Amino acid sequence: MVRAKVLVTGCVGFIGSHLAETLLSKGYSVIGVDCLTPYYSQKIKQYNLNSLLKSDGFKFVRLDLSASSIDHLVQLVRKADVVVHEAAQPGVRSSWGVDFEIYIRHNVLATQKLLEAGVRSESVKRFVYASSSSVYGNVREVQLREDMTPRPYSPYGVTKLAAENLCKVYHDNFGVPVVVLRYFTVYGPRQRPDMAFHRFIKAMFRGESIHIYGDGGQIRDFTYVGDVVDATIKAIESDDVVGEVINIGSSRPIKLIDAVNLIANILGVKPKIMFEDERKGDVRVTYADISKARRLLGWKPKTELREGLEKEIEWLREAMELGLI
C-alpha cells in the first residue's frame, strides 16, 4: 500500500502529528483532519501543523467530525485509501460531570459518522481506530489481554469502548476493514500538557513541586510515541489484521514513583513530591500483553524508557524556549 492516500484525523495532536509526519517520510500522501479543540494550548497545535504544512504531500482540512454531515464526510473519505482515526477528546479525569457530553460527541458520534462515511464511500481499504487501555478498567490480572472482558473505570473509557463496539458492528454488518489498536500510556515529544510526564518534567525544570495522585505505587505501561506510530503503520500495511483488536504497549511496566525518580536522575535534580488523594477513574495497573501485536503485526517496541524520556525532555526544553508552553 505504498504511496496510498491516508486520512489522519486528529492530525495536529500528540500522536496524530507524529503519525502524519512519519507517513509523509515514507512516501504516503496525507489528508490531515483536525478541529483544533481548545483542550490545551493552540500554540502547540499550530506549531505541529506548521511543520506538516511544509510537505507537498500534506493537505489540511479543519473540520469537526461530530458536527459534519455524513454526506460531507463521504466526499472527504473518498479522497483516501486508508483512514486512521486518532481524533478524540482525551483525559480520564476531565470526563466526569457536565463535560461528558463533549466526550460523547468527539469520541462516539464522530466515530460513528466516520464509519458510516466509510461504508458509503466504498473506497476505504483499511480503517485503523486508535483506542485506549482505558477500556480495560481497574483489572487485577497482571497482564491485560485482548480477550478479556473490558470494564471501563471512567467515562472516558466508556466512550472509547463504545467507539470500539461501533467499529465492530460496522465491520460485522458492512465489512468496513477495521483494525482496533489499544494504546497504553503514550509518552514522548509533543505530549499533551495534562499528561504526567509533561507535568513532571516541566515542574522539575522550574523547581516546582510535583503532584502525584495516590501513593506513587500505581503501575503504568509507558509506550514511546515512535513505537506507537510504527505499530499503527504496520496495522495499515499488514495482512490478516482486519477485524482484530490489538494491544500496543511497551510491556515493561514501571511504578509511577520510579518513573519520577528516573526523570529526576536524567535532569540531575531532586524532585519535590507532594502526594494527593487518588483521582476518580485512575486505575491501579496497566500492563500490556503484546503477543498478538508481535504475531499479527510483526511489531515490538524498540525504545527504552530512559531514551524516550530524554527525547521528551529535550523537546520540552525547546518548547519552553519557544514559548509554546
Side-chain angles (χ1 to χ4, degrees), residues 2-151:
V2 177
R3 298 194 182 279
K5 293 183 179 179
V6 184
L7 176 67
V8 178
T9 70
C11 69
V12 301
F14 169 34
I15 302 172
S17 62
H18 280 284
L19 175 63
E21 187 177 88
T22 304
L23 285 167
L24 290 165
S25 74
K26 289 179 175 288
Y28 289 90
S29 58
V30 174
I31 302 169
V33 175
D34 206 295
C35 65
L36 299 171
T37 60
Y39 184 75
Y40 60 91
S41 171
Q42 296 295 304
K43 290 182 180 180
I44 297 175
K45 295 184 178 183
Q46 192 61 51
Y47 184 82
N48 295 344
L49 177 58
N50 290 344
S51 178
L52 291 170
L53 289 171
K54 294 175 183 177
S55 173
D56 293 336
F58 180 77
K59 179 182 178 181
F60 178 64
V61 179
R62 183 169 184 173
L63 186 68
D64 183 341
L65 297 170
S66 69
S68 301
S69 71
I70 291 175
D71 286 342
H72 181 58
L73 291 179
V74 168
Q75 296 305 311
L76 181 61
V77 169
R78 278 182 179 156
K79 297 176 183 178
D81 305 298
V82 174
V83 174
V84 183
H85 186 29
E86 297 282 346
Q89 184 72 12
V92 167
R93 296 167 189 155
S94 304
S95 63
W96 301 96
V98 296
D99 286 342
F100 183 61
E101 183 178 345
I102 300 172
Y103 287 78
I104 289 292
R105 190 166 74 246
H106 290 305
N107 297 358
V108 182
L109 180 59
T111 303
Q112 186 273 333
K113 287 188 172 185
L114 199 58
L115 287 163
E116 188 69 30
V119 173
R120 299 188 192 184
S121 70
E122 299 181 341
S123 65
V124 177
K125 298 178 178 65
R126 190 65 51 87
F127 188 112
V128 181
Y129 174 64
S131 188
S132 166
S133 61
S134 292
V135 303
Y136 287 110
N138 212 16
V139 183
R140 295 301 178 184
E141 283 85 349
V142 174
Q143 280 189 300
L144 301 173
R145 305 180 314 277
E146 295 90 345
D147 60 359
M148 296 169 63
T149 301
R151 294 183 176 87

Side-chain angles (χ1 to χ4, degrees), residues 11 33 38 43 53 74 89 140 169 185 190 199 201 206 210 259 284:
C11 69
V33 175
K43 290 182 180 180
L53 289 171
V74 168
Q89 184 72 12
R140 295 301 178 184
V169 297
T185 318
R190 305 177 203 164
R199 292 188 293 106
I201 295 166
R206 295 174 172 173
I210 291 168
R284 187 67 180 175

Side-chain angles (χ1 to χ4, degrees), residues 48-306:
N48 295 344
L49 177 58
N50 290 344
S51 178
L52 291 170
L53 289 171
K54 294 175 183 177
S55 173
D56 293 336
F58 180 77
K59 179 182 178 181
F60 178 64
V61 179
R62 183 169 184 173
L63 186 68
D64 183 341
L65 297 170
S66 69
S68 301
S69 71
I70 291 175
D71 286 342
H72 181 58
L73 291 179
V74 168
Q75 296 305 311
L76 181 61
V77 169
R78 278 182 179 156
K79 297 176 183 178
D81 305 298
V82 174
V83 174
V84 183
H85 186 29
E86 297 282 346
Q89 184 72 12
V92 167
R93 296 167 189 155
S94 304
S95 63
W96 301 96
V98 296
D99 286 342
F100 183 61
E101 183 178 345
I102 300 172
Y103 287 78
I104 289 292
R105 190 166 74 246
H106 290 305
N107 297 358
V108 182
L109 180 59
T111 303
Q112 186 273 333
K113 287 188 172 185
L114 199 58
L115 287 163
E116 188 69 30
V119 173
R120 299 188 192 184
S121 70
E122 299 181 341
S123 65
V124 177
K125 298 178 178 65
R126 190 65 51 87
F127 188 112
V128 181
Y129 174 64
S131 188
S132 166
S133 61
S134 292
V135 303
Y136 287 110
N138 212 16
V139 183
R140 295 301 178 184
E141 283 85 349
V142 174
Q143 280 189 300
L144 301 173
R145 305 180 314 277
E146 295 90 345
D147 60 359
M148 296 169 63
T149 301
R151 294 183 176 87
Y153 194 57
S154 67
Y156 168 74
V158 168
T159 62
K160 296 300 284 187
L161 181 59
E164 277 195 19
N165 287 334
L166 283 168
C167 288
K168 177 174 172 53
V169 297
Y170 271 88
H171 169 260
D172 292 350
N173 286 273
F174 299 104
V176 177
V178 167
V179 184
V180 173
L181 303 180
R182 290 176 177 165
Y183 298 158
F184 280 67
T185 318
V186 187
Y187 75 100
R190 305 177 203 164
Q191 192 184 46
R192 298 194 322 267
D194 63 305
M195 298 183 75
F197 285 172
H198 185 121
R199 292 188 293 106
F200 296 162
I201 295 166
K202 186 167 66 175
M204 288 191 213
F205 270 144
R206 295 174 172 173
E208 298 171 351
S209 296
I210 291 168
H211 297 265
I212 292 180
Y213 303 112
D215 61 5
Q218 55 266 55
I219 294 170
R220 292 291 178 269
D221 194 330
F222 295 108
T223 314
Y224 185 66
V225 65
D227 291 330
V228 167
V229 165
D230 181 41
T232 304
I233 293 175
K234 286 184 181 299
I236 293 173
E237 298 175 340
S238 299
D239 298 324
D240 303 322
V241 295
V242 171
E244 298 288 351
V245 176
I246 306 172
N247 287 339
I248 304 300
S250 71
S251 203
R252 295 187 292 266
I254 184 173
K255 288 183 179 180
L256 187 60
I257 191 65
D258 292 337
V260 169
N261 288 328
L262 177 57
I263 294 170
N265 178 264
I266 295 169
L267 291 174
V269 300
K270 184 175 181 179
K272 304 172 184 176
I273 301 173
M274 295 183 64
F275 293 97
E276 300 187 11
D277 292 341
E278 292 183 2
R279 294 297 177 93
K280 300 296 184 183
D282 284 351
V283 300
R284 187 67 180 175
V285 178
T286 64
Y287 180 9
D289 181 327
I290 58 172
S291 55
K292 193 172 182 181
R294 292 176 185 269
R295 185 177 73 253
L296 295 182
L297 300 178
W299 173 87
K300 63 179 181 179
K302 300 175 183 177
T303 310
E304 296 291 339
L305 182 59
R306 185 181 187 95

